[in-house]
Amino acid sequence: MSATFGVNTELSRCVLRLIGPSDHSPSPIQRHSTLPRFYNGFLSLSAASENLKVTRRTRISPRLLSMPTNSSSESLTYRDAGVDIDAGSELVRRIAKMAPGIGGFGGLFPLGDSYLVAGTDGVGTKLKLAFETGIHETIGIDLVAMSVNDIVTSGAKPLFFLDYFATSHLDVDLAEKVIKGIVDGCQQSDCALLGGETAEMPDFYADGEYDLSGFAVGIVKRDSVINGNDIVAGDVLVGLPSSGVHSNGFSLVRRVLARSGFSLKDKLPGEDVSLGEALMAPTVIYVKQLLGLISKGGIKGIAHITGGGLTDNIPRVFPKGLGAVIHKNSWEVPTLFKWIQEAGKIEDAEMRRTFNMGIGMVLVVSQEASNRILEGGGGAYKAYHIGEVVSGEGVSYH
Amino acid sequence: MSATFGVNTELSRCVLRLIGPSDHSPSPIQRHSTLPRFYNGFLSLSAASENLKVTRRTRISPRLLSMPTNSSSESLTYRDAGVDIDAGSELVRRIAKMAPGIGGFGGLFPLGDSYLVAGTDGVGTKLKLAFETGIHETIGIDLVAMSVNDIVTSGAKPLFFLDYFATSHLDVDLAEKVIKGIVDGCQQSDCALLGGETAEMPDFYADGEYDLSGFAVGIVKRDSVINGNDIVAGDVLVGLPSSGVHSNGFSLVRRVLARSGFSLKDKLPGEDVSLGEALMAPTVIYVKQLLGLISKGGIKGIAHITGGGLTDNIPRVFPKGLGAVIHKNSWEVPTLFKWIQEAGKIEDAEMRRTFNMGIGMVLVVSQEASNRILEGGGGAYKAYHIGEVVSGEGVSYH
């Protein structure tokens, strides 16, 4: 049965975050020849677009060809057939031909001595769990988190956020809950909710369902951009804890749930919360913490751990020729991930490429800075020394 | 049968553009007591948010309770029952309690001597016609148009755009067509496509369907903001032609089509295009034209004619105590609108409140400036003297 709901890992790697390696060269034009995902079709459009850096994400979820049967003995992976594995990378290639360069976690637009940094994202199929659990109060926090956590990786302070809420029939109580979460997310990231669009689209969404997208804009001085350029072998990887699955990997989560025999109301084994509550825990917004740490210096690169996990997201901030070694026992993997892995019989590598495994943000810092940051502001926050930068490429776990 | 697919006009007026009257006072705080839709819950969040002006749109489409029967003799209006008419205004009221002030066509964020101006919108149920006609190449132009036409009304030059494309299963050919349209729209508005999100969301959308939202950011010097403050009775209303229905009113269009007995492939009577082609004509992007006109001075206010038509959108740029008289024969209403009105037996007032009637943008200008603008740049563009500003309120047609 696994072939009926599988998806190929290559697709996830290619396109879950199709924005590829980050911007390490001073001019995007220089990157064109070596990194085909970077290009600058729009540079001629505007004098201001010198040094423009563009990002395009793709959040690809496997298509459910049929619902998985309960309690299969087969291991759940993203490798099986059932979705066109080349679709995502093909779209990237085609967009690359006609649209601006792609790179980093947020698009950079030069403005005077600063960059405006913009990011957009939705919350993917975590929405389905919101529908199923009835927990709508925090999905707006997830929405804001996805975009502001991206733009803060460049050192940008978020200025404002806008949301798009689409549904087939406006339910005021439901919309109010969702937007209240967005307001909370904006407060947590100290940015203004500058606008939004509520779209009632008959015949688009199932009853009681909706889709969300969000847009954040921040600003950073040009000479303060965090871009990974100064990262060297020997730098330290500092991990900041996640609150759970955050807003990625939910297509796999839903498959695991379907085969596990567990309901969302069942307790997460070993914890005092239901599975639904644990899965719906709002994404941590790292903005204030990161801006505080950045202001003290020593942070060379920041990776927001979303789809692709530690495995795919950490290398995106590295210059060519560098990789990472992760000490896999350097933090406690939360119970929720252990349950998902066990219930889905998912291999370690698959877990690490799909989920954040308890680490939602990774800082690449000098050894000097690492001591200060790992001290955790006198206990004000948790931080883990999870690994080091090494010569080579990719991420290995020891 | 009309009760099965009707919708109340009050809802449309309240919430199709729920952002209400525009910003005429120097500080949003001053507006709080008189205009309940303006408030500033977020002013305390950021020192930069002084003079923040926020916009929230709602694009409310009537819910199809059942499909209309063919060739009914009843007049189609938005007045009948079938949708909770208070939902939209109730949501506004609740958001107003928890989120920032609402006003104008785009949110304004102070930055140094400038404002960043941001807007977000989708294209509503025009998408359904894209699905039915198979015309996907230009819906991206509509998407860009809806946001950039909003922000340029404040005098802001669009800097960049981001899109969100959501579908249940990524069809690369289809996505490429849509994104190509977005690229075209960005080129037409001389802004960069700075990023985007392609979200594959299983079980959210019907096969072959997708939703789109867009987000534009522009910039304008604080002392150059066009805000309607200087508008006086006697000022001239100059209309710029639309290309058709643009991206509003499609829920009514679909009802008219369903009862007309016409197919989208049928010729629009009296024209050499099909109904589908006429309805799918991409929204005009007025950015370059407007920025050119603005640079020459004399433009006091600009109204983007979307949902609510001339009737509801023109007054939004006026100071309190002013209204408009429209000379209804001052431009030729395009054949498409005449066909819609006839096929749907729609009353004049209903048409004018739902559709742009051939005028996509209205400039409020001094008499001196009107001559220069109406001369049309020596024939480079069309412009109509469609009316005047008068003491009073609302819009009347003579």
Side-chain angles (χ1 to χ4, degrees), chain B residues 244-278:
Chain B
V245 182
H246 284 181
S247 309
N248 292 94
F250 276 89
S251 291
L252 186 52
V253 164
R254 289 173 65 213
R255 282 162 186 68
V256 170
L257 270 168
R259 72 146 48 170
S260 71
F262 277 66
S263 108
L264 288 166
K265 289 182 182 165
D266 288 331
K267 287 277 177 223
L268 170 62
E271 300 283 337
D272 198 28
V273 294
S274 69
L275 265 171
E277 289 163 346

mmCIF file of all heavy atoms in Angstrom, chain B residues 244-278:
data_model
loop_
_atom_site.group_PDB
_atom_site.id
_atom_site.type_symbol
_atom_site.label_atom_id
_atom_site.label_comp_id
_atom_site.label_asym_id
_atom_site.label_seq_id
_atom_site.Cartn_x
_atom_site.Cartn_y
_atom_site.Cartn_z
ATOM 1 N N GLY B 244 -12.171 46.025 -19.321
ATOM 2 C CA GLY B 244 -13.324 45.135 -19.185
ATOM 3 C C GLY B 244 -13.706 45.040 -17.725
ATOM 4 O O GLY B 244 -13.630 46.029 -16.989
ATOM 5 N N VAL B 245 -14.075 43.843 -17.290
ATOM 6 C CA VAL B 245 -14.565 43.662 -15.926
ATOM 7 C C VAL B 245 -13.423 43.720 -14.905
ATOM 8 O O VAL B 245 -13.663 43.873 -13.713
ATOM 9 C CB VAL B 245 -15.343 42.326 -15.837
ATOM 10 C CG1 VAL B 245 -15.925 42.113 -14.466
ATOM 11 C CG2 VAL B 245 -16.474 42.306 -16.861
ATOM 12 N N HIS B 246 -12.177 43.648 -15.386
ATOM 13 C CA HIS B 246 -11.012 43.580 -14.502
ATOM 14 C C HIS B 246 -11.163 42.373 -13.554
ATOM 15 O O HIS B 246 -11.407 41.279 -14.037
ATOM 16 C CB HIS B 246 -10.786 44.901 -13.766
ATOM 17 C CG HIS B 246 -10.171 45.963 -14.666
ATOM 18 N ND1 HIS B 246 -9.854 47.225 -14.231
ATOM 19 C CD2 HIS B 246 -9.833 45.939 -15.986
ATOM 20 C CE1 HIS B 246 -9.334 47.932 -15.244
ATOM 21 N NE2 HIS B 246 -9.313 47.161 -16.299
ATOM 22 N N SER B 247 -11.030 42.547 -12.252
ATOM 23 C CA SER B 247 -11.034 41.362 -11.378
ATOM 24 C C SER B 247 -12.071 41.446 -10.274
ATOM 25 O O SER B 247 -11.868 40.908 -9.183
ATOM 26 C CB SER B 247 -9.636 41.157 -10.773
ATOM 27 O OG SER B 247 -8.651 41.161 -11.782
ATOM 28 N N ASN B 248 -13.193 42.077 -10.543
ATOM 29 C CA ASN B 248 -14.273 42.149 -9.557
ATOM 30 C C ASN B 248 -15.626 41.905 -10.229
ATOM 31 O O ASN B 248 -15.802 42.203 -11.402
ATOM 32 C CB ASN B 248 -14.297 43.532 -8.882
ATOM 33 C CG ASN B 248 -13.078 43.756 -7.999
ATOM 34 O OD1 ASN B 248 -12.086 44.320 -8.441
ATOM 35 N ND2 ASN B 248 -13.148 43.282 -6.767
ATOM 36 N N GLY B 249 -16.554 41.412 -9.471
ATOM 37 C CA GLY B 249 -17.921 41.217 -9.974
ATOM 38 C C GLY B 249 -18.133 39.866 -10.618
ATOM 39 O O GLY B 249 -19.191 39.610 -11.196
ATOM 40 N N PHE B 250 -17.172 38.967 -10.501
ATOM 41 C CA PHE B 250 -17.273 37.703 -11.237
ATOM 42 C C PHE B 250 -18.293 36.723 -10.654
ATOM 43 O O PHE B 250 -18.751 35.832 -11.357
ATOM 44 C CB PHE B 250 -15.897 37.044 -11.390
ATOM 45 C CG PHE B 250 -15.164 37.598 -12.572
ATOM 46 C CD1 PHE B 250 -14.356 38.713 -12.454
ATOM 47 C CD2 PHE B 250 -15.336 37.035 -13.830
ATOM 48 C CE1 PHE B 250 -13.707 39.248 -13.556
ATOM 49 C CE2 PHE B 250 -14.698 37.562 -14.935
ATOM 50 C CZ PHE B 250 -13.883 38.681 -14.796
ATOM 51 N N SER B 251 -18.641 36.893 -9.395
ATOM 52 C CA SER B 251 -19.700 36.022 -8.886
ATOM 53 C C SER B 251 -21.011 36.358 -9.580
ATOM 54 O O SER B 251 -21.773 35.464 -9.964
ATOM 55 C CB SER B 251 -19.835 36.181 -7.368
ATOM 56 O OG SER B 251 -18.697 35.631 -6.745
ATOM 57 N N LEU B 252 -21.256 37.648 -9.780
ATOM 58 C CA LEU B 252 -22.462 38.034 -10.513
ATOM 59 C C LEU B 252 -22.348 37.641 -11.991
ATOM 60 O O LEU B 252 -23.305 37.136 -12.586
ATOM 61 C CB LEU B 252 -22.699 39.545 -10.357
ATOM 62 C CG LEU B 252 -23.997 40.105 -10.954
ATOM 63 C CD1 LEU B 252 -25.225 39.332 -10.473
ATOM 64 C CD2 LEU B 252 -24.149 41.591 -10.589
ATOM 65 N N VAL B 253 -21.177 37.827 -12.565
ATOM 66 C CA VAL B 253 -20.957 37.430 -13.959
ATOM 67 C C VAL B 253 -21.281 35.957 -14.165
ATOM 68 O O VAL B 253 -21.960 35.584 -15.130
ATOM 69 C CB VAL B 253 -19.485 37.698 -14.374
ATOM 70 C CG1 VAL B 253 -19.137 36.948 -15.657
ATOM 71 C CG2 VAL B 253 -19.239 39.194 -14.548
ATOM 72 N N ARG B 254 -20.851 35.131 -13.238
ATOM 73 C CA ARG B 254 -21.086 33.695 -13.393
ATOM 74 C C ARG B 254 -22.572 33.363 -13.312
ATOM 75 O O ARG B 254 -23.050 32.475 -14.000
ATOM 76 C CB ARG B 254 -20.283 32.914 -12.341
ATOM 77 C CG ARG B 254 -18.768 32.948 -12.641
ATOM 78 C CD ARG B 254 -17.976 32.323 -11.526
ATOM 79 N NE ARG B 254 -18.262 30.898 -11.391
ATOM 80 C CZ ARG B 254 -18.243 30.250 -10.231
ATOM 81 N NH1 ARG B 254 -17.979 30.889 -9.101
ATOM 82 N NH2 ARG B 254 -18.499 28.961 -10.190
ATOM 83 N N ARG B 255 -23.303 34.084 -12.468
ATOM 84 C CA ARG B 255 -24.748 33.878 -12.418
ATOM 85 C C ARG B 255 -25.416 34.300 -13.718
ATOM 86 O O ARG B 255 -26.308 33.620 -14.232
ATOM 87 C CB ARG B 255 -25.345 34.691 -11.277
ATOM 88 C CG ARG B 255 -25.126 34.028 -9.949
ATOM 89 C CD ARG B 255 -25.317 35.008 -8.816
ATOM 90 N NE ARG B 255 -24.952 34.378 -7.574
ATOM 91 C CZ ARG B 255 -23.698 34.037 -7.267
ATOM 92 N NH1 ARG B 255 -22.713 34.292 -8.107
ATOM 93 N NH2 ARG B 255 -23.437 33.433 -6.131
ATOM 94 N N VAL B 256 -24.977 35.441 -14.219
ATOM 95 C CA VAL B 256 -25.553 35.926 -15.475
ATOM 96 C C VAL B 256 -25.298 34.916 -16.590
ATOM 97 O O VAL B 256 -26.201 34.565 -17.362
ATOM 98 C CB VAL B 256 -24.951 37.297 -15.836
ATOM 99 C CG1 VAL B 256 -25.348 37.710 -17.243
ATOM 100 C CG2 VAL B 256 -25.381 38.362 -14.824
ATOM 101 N N LEU B 257 -24.080 34.435 -16.642
ATOM 102 C CA LEU B 257 -23.738 33.437 -17.659
ATOM 103 C C LEU B 257 -24.624 32.209 -17.542
ATOM 104 O O LEU B 257 -25.152 31.710 -18.537
ATOM 105 C CB LEU B 257 -22.279 33.011 -17.492
ATOM 106 C CG LEU B 257 -21.242 33.814 -18.258
ATOM 107 C CD1 LEU B 257 -19.853 33.449 -17.761
ATOM 108 C CD2 LEU B 257 -21.353 33.552 -19.766
ATOM 109 N N ALA B 258 -24.797 31.741 -16.320
ATOM 110 C CA ALA B 258 -25.551 30.501 -16.108
ATOM 111 C C ALA B 258 -26.995 30.653 -16.575
ATOM 112 O O ALA B 258 -27.581 29.711 -17.103
ATOM 113 C CB ALA B 258 -25.500 30.107 -14.629
ATOM 114 N N ARG B 259 -27.573 31.831 -16.397
ATOM 115 C CA ARG B 259 -28.967 31.992 -16.801
ATOM 116 C C ARG B 259 -29.116 32.466 -18.243
ATOM 117 O O ARG B 259 -30.217 32.427 -18.789
ATOM 118 C CB ARG B 259 -29.685 32.969 -15.864
ATOM 119 C CG ARG B 259 -29.263 34.399 -16.040
ATOM 120 C CD ARG B 259 -30.423 35.365 -15.806
ATOM 121 N NE ARG B 259 -31.176 35.089 -14.581
ATOM 122 C CZ ARG B 259 -32.086 35.906 -14.099
ATOM 123 N NH1 ARG B 259 -32.370 37.030 -14.730
ATOM 124 N NH2 ARG B 259 -32.724 35.618 -12.997
ATOM 125 N N SER B 260 -28.007 32.933 -18.860
ATOM 126 C CA SER B 260 -28.121 33.552 -20.182
ATOM 127 C C SER B 260 -28.297 32.533 -21.300
ATOM 128 O O SER B 260 -28.759 32.861 -22.376
ATOM 129 C CB SER B 260 -26.872 34.379 -20.473
ATOM 130 O OG SER B 260 -25.757 33.525 -20.695
ATOM 131 N N GLY B 261 -27.873 31.299 -21.041
ATOM 132 C CA GLY B 261 -27.885 30.317 -22.111
ATOM 133 C C GLY B 261 -26.664 30.451 -23.016
ATOM 134 O O GLY B 261 -26.466 29.656 -23.924
ATOM 135 N N PHE B 262 -25.813 31.433 -22.758
ATOM 136 C CA PHE B 262 -24.587 31.604 -23.545
ATOM 137 C C PHE B 262 -23.474 30.726 -22.973
ATOM 138 O O PHE B 262 -23.424 30.471 -21.774
ATOM 139 C CB PHE B 262 -24.127 33.054 -23.500
ATOM 140 C CG PHE B 262 -24.806 33.955 -24.483
ATOM 141 C CD1 PHE B 262 -26.174 34.229 -24.383
ATOM 142 C CD2 PHE B 262 -24.093 34.538 -25.522
ATOM 143 C CE1 PHE B 262 -26.802 35.069 -25.283
ATOM 144 C CE2 PHE B 262 -24.715 35.382 -26.432
ATOM 145 C CZ PHE B 262 -26.063 35.646 -26.315
ATOM 146 N N SER B 263 -22.588 30.286 -23.861
ATOM 147 C CA SER B 263 -21.387 29.621 -23.375
ATOM 148 C C SER B 263 -20.232 30.615 -23.490
ATOM 149 O O SER B 263 -20.314 31.614 -24.204
ATOM 150 C CB SER B 263 -21.096 28.366 -24.202
ATOM 151 O OG SER B 263 -19.971 28.551 -25.034
ATOM 152 N N LEU B 264 -19.157 30.300 -22.781
ATOM 153 C CA LEU B 264 -17.999 31.202 -22.817
ATOM 154 C C LEU B 264 -17.383 31.270 -24.208
ATOM 155 O O LEU B 264 -16.645 32.196 -24.522
ATOM 156 C CB LEU B 264 -16.962 30.744 -21.790
ATOM 157 C CG LEU B 264 -17.358 30.997 -20.331
ATOM 158 C CD1 LEU B 264 -16.455 30.228 -19.377
ATOM 159 C CD2 LEU B 264 -17.286 32.495 -20.027
ATOM 160 N N LYS B 265 -17.668 30.249 -25.021
ATOM 161 C CA LYS B 265 -17.114 30.233 -26.379
ATOM 162 C C LYS B 265 -17.959 31.050 -27.353
ATOM 163 O O LYS B 265 -17.512 31.344 -28.471
ATOM 164 C CB LYS B 265 -17.012 28.799 -26.878
ATOM 165 C CG LYS B 265 -15.923 28.022 -26.164
ATOM 166 C CD LYS B 265 -15.808 26.605 -26.700
ATOM 167 C CE LYS B 265 -14.753 25.820 -25.933
ATOM 168 N NZ LYS B 265 -14.861 24.389 -26.165
ATOM 169 N N ASP B 266 -19.169 31.370 -26.959
ATOM 170 C CA ASP B 266 -20.018 32.182 -27.839
ATOM 171 C C ASP B 266 -19.431 33.577 -28.006
ATOM 172 O O ASP B 266 -18.771 34.102 -27.109
ATOM 173 C CB ASP B 266 -21.433 32.299 -27.256
ATOM 174 C CG ASP B 266 -22.203 30.987 -27.361
ATOM 175 O OD1 ASP B 266 -21.923 30.230 -28.306
ATOM 176 O OD2 ASP B 266 -23.056 30.718 -26.491
ATOM 177 N N LYS B 267 -19.715 34.156 -29.178
ATOM 178 C CA LYS B 267 -19.249 35.519 -29.415
ATOM 179 C C LYS B 267 -19.995 36.484 -28.500
ATOM 180 O O LYS B 267 -21.206 36.331 -28.265
ATOM 181 C CB LYS B 267 -19.526 35.920 -30.878
ATOM 182 C CG LYS B 267 -18.606 35.242 -31.881
ATOM 183 C CD LYS B 267 -17.279 35.969 -32.003
ATOM 184 C CE LYS B 267 -16.349 35.214 -32.954
ATOM 185 N NZ LYS B 267 -14.975 35.124 -32.462
ATOM 186 N N LEU B 268 -19.290 37.462 -28.008
ATOM 187 C CA LEU B 268 -19.952 38.584 -27.347
ATOM 188 C C LEU B 268 -20.708 39.335 -28.436
ATOM 189 O O LEU B 268 -20.076 39.826 -29.384
ATOM 190 C CB LEU B 268 -18.893 39.477 -26.688
ATOM 191 C CG LEU B 268 -19.364 40.828 -26.149
ATOM 192 C CD1 LEU B 268 -20.402 40.644 -25.035
ATOM 193 C CD2 LEU B 268 -18.174 41.630 -25.632
ATOM 194 N N PRO B 269 -22.028 39.422 -28.334
ATOM 195 C CA PRO B 269 -22.804 40.027 -29.419
ATOM 196 C C PRO B 269 -22.269 41.428 -29.785
ATOM 197 O O PRO B 269 -22.065 42.266 -28.908
ATOM 198 C CB PRO B 269 -24.214 40.112 -28.834
ATOM 199 C CG PRO B 269 -24.280 38.993 -27.843
ATOM 200 C CD PRO B 269 -22.902 38.911 -27.267
ATOM 201 N N GLY B 270 -22.043 41.601 -31.079
ATOM 202 C CA GLY B 270 -21.568 42.905 -31.551
ATOM 203 C C GLY B 270 -20.064 43.084 -31.532
ATOM 204 O O GLY B 270 -19.548 44.118 -31.956
ATOM 205 N N GLU B 271 -19.356 42.072 -31.022
ATOM 206 C CA GLU B 271 -17.887 42.179 -30.968
ATOM 207 C C GLU B 271 -17.261 40.941 -31.606
ATOM 208 O O GLU B 271 -17.928 39.924 -31.780
ATOM 209 C CB GLU B 271 -17.416 42.297 -29.510
ATOM 210 C CG GLU B 271 -17.967 43.505 -28.763
ATOM 211 C CD GLU B 271 -17.260 44.801 -29.150
ATOM 212 O OE1 GLU B 271 -16.108 44.737 -29.625
ATOM 213 O OE2 GLU B 271 -17.874 45.879 -28.981
ATOM 214 N N ASP B 272 -15.988 41.041 -31.891
ATOM 215 C CA ASP B 272 -15.307 39.940 -32.560
ATOM 216 C C ASP B 272 -14.497 39.074 -31.597
ATOM 217 O O ASP B 272 -13.467 38.510 -31.976
ATOM 218 C CB ASP B 272 -14.407 40.492 -33.679
ATOM 219 C CG ASP B 272 -14.032 39.400 -34.668
ATOM 220 O OD1 ASP B 272 -14.838 38.442 -34.819
ATOM 221 O OD2 ASP B 272 -12.947 39.499 -35.266
ATOM 222 N N VAL B 273 -14.931 39.019 -30.365
ATOM 223 C CA VAL B 273 -14.267 38.152 -29.378
ATOM 224 C C VAL B 273 -15.313 37.281 -28.714
ATOM 225 O O VAL B 273 -16.504 37.607 -28.716
ATOM 226 C CB VAL B 273 -13.533 38.964 -28.296
ATOM 227 C CG1 VAL B 273 -12.373 39.747 -28.875
ATOM 228 C CG2 VAL B 273 -14.497 39.892 -27.555
ATOM 229 N N SER B 274 -14.844 36.177 -28.137
ATOM 230 C CA SER B 274 -15.775 35.328 -27.388
ATOM 231 C C SER B 274 -16.064 35.980 -26.038
ATOM 232 O O SER B 274 -15.289 36.818 -25.547
ATOM 233 C CB SER B 274 -15.169 33.944 -27.180
ATOM 234 O OG SER B 274 -14.078 34.017 -26.289
ATOM 235 N N LEU B 275 -17.153 35.565 -25.433
ATOM 236 C CA LEU B 275 -17.465 36.043 -24.081
ATOM 237 C C LEU B 275 -16.346 35.708 -23.112
ATOM 238 O O LEU B 275 -15.957 36.519 -22.276
ATOM 239 C CB LEU B 275 -18.766 35.386 -23.605
ATOM 240 C CG LEU B 275 -20.040 36.180 -23.819
ATOM 241 C CD1 LEU B 275 -21.248 35.318 -23.500
ATOM 242 C CD2 LEU B 275 -20.035 37.433 -22.946
ATOM 243 N N GLY B 276 -15.804 34.494 -23.247
ATOM 244 C CA GLY B 276 -14.714 34.087 -22.368
ATOM 245 C C GLY B 276 -13.507 35.005 -22.504
ATOM 246 O O GLY B 276 -12.924 35.440 -21.510
ATOM 247 N N GLU B 277 -13.150 35.309 -23.744
ATOM 248 C CA GLU B 277 -11.998 36.196 -23.966
ATOM 249 C C GLU B 277 -12.264 37.592 -23.418
ATOM 250 O O GLU B 277 -11.388 38.219 -22.811
ATOM 251 C CB GLU B 277 -11.676 36.271 -25.465
ATOM 252 C CG GLU B 277 -11.087 34.981 -26.009
ATOM 253 C CD GLU B 277 -11.145 34.894 -27.544
ATOM 254 O OE1 GLU B 277 -11.885 35.703 -28.167
ATOM 255 O OE2 GLU B 277 -10.479 34.018 -28.093
ATOM 256 N N ALA B 278 -13.479 38.088 -23.665
ATOM 257 C CA ALA B 278 -13.804 39.437 -23.189
ATOM 258 C C ALA B 278 -13.758 39.502 -21.662
ATOM 259 O O ALA B 278 -13.239 40.456 -21.077
ATOM 260 C CB ALA B 278 -15.181 39.850 -23.688
#
